[in-house]
Amino acid sequence: MVSGRCRCGAIHYVAEGDPVHSTLCHCSDCRRSAGAPMVGWALFSNDQLRITGAPVSFQSSDNVIRQFCGTCGTGLFYRNEAIFPDMVDVQTGTLDHPSALPPQAHIQMAEAPAWMAEAHELPKFDRYPSD
């Protein structure tokens, strides 16, 4: 079981069992929706997910419904009945314990920014770099 919530706490969720997959998506739609260079997703069946609160739905393309908190704007869920019938992707960045579902793969790399190939080589800091 994993749990998570939006930033303000208006929406909480619990997912039971193991996801079908846990991935990092690099498609332009996910990047624009999240305002981030990639988005982590874990795919569960609808019956594995319990949601408390009322996410707002936005149809971002023909078959895609993205759901988010209408109060704080946190992206939470992705539904695409054409590709993943009766399934829901949960944004892993919203998990209470994000390490619980490490990504198993990068997807949609054809749309990733070119600099993503070397991103792991950038300097790393535990907090902000000092002057």
Side-chain angles (χ1 to χ4, degrees), residues 1 3 9-10 23 39 49 55-56 58 62 80 93-94 96 113 124:
M1 178 188 80
S3 61
T23 62
V39 179
L49 184 67
V56 174
F58 171 70
D62 286 342
N80 185 332
T94 65
D96 292 330
K124 295 170 181 62

Side-chain angles (χ1 to χ4, degrees), residues 96-126:
D96 292 330
H97 304 285
S99 296
L101 296 176
Q104 301 159 325
H106 290 268
I107 60 172
Q108 303 289 4
M109 288 302 294
E111 296 182 39
W115 54 261
M116 187 57 71
E118 289 86 31
H120 66 282
E121 296 172 15
L122 294 170
K124 295 170 181 62
F125 304 93
D126 287 337

Side-chain angles (χ1 to χ4, degrees), residues 29 33 56-61 64-68 77 79:
D29 196 34
S33 293
V56 174
S57 295
F58 171 70
Q59 187 167 358
S60 62
S61 58
V64 174
I65 301 293
R66 291 176 182 274
Q67 295 180 300
F68 59 95
F77 312 114
R79 299 173 188 275

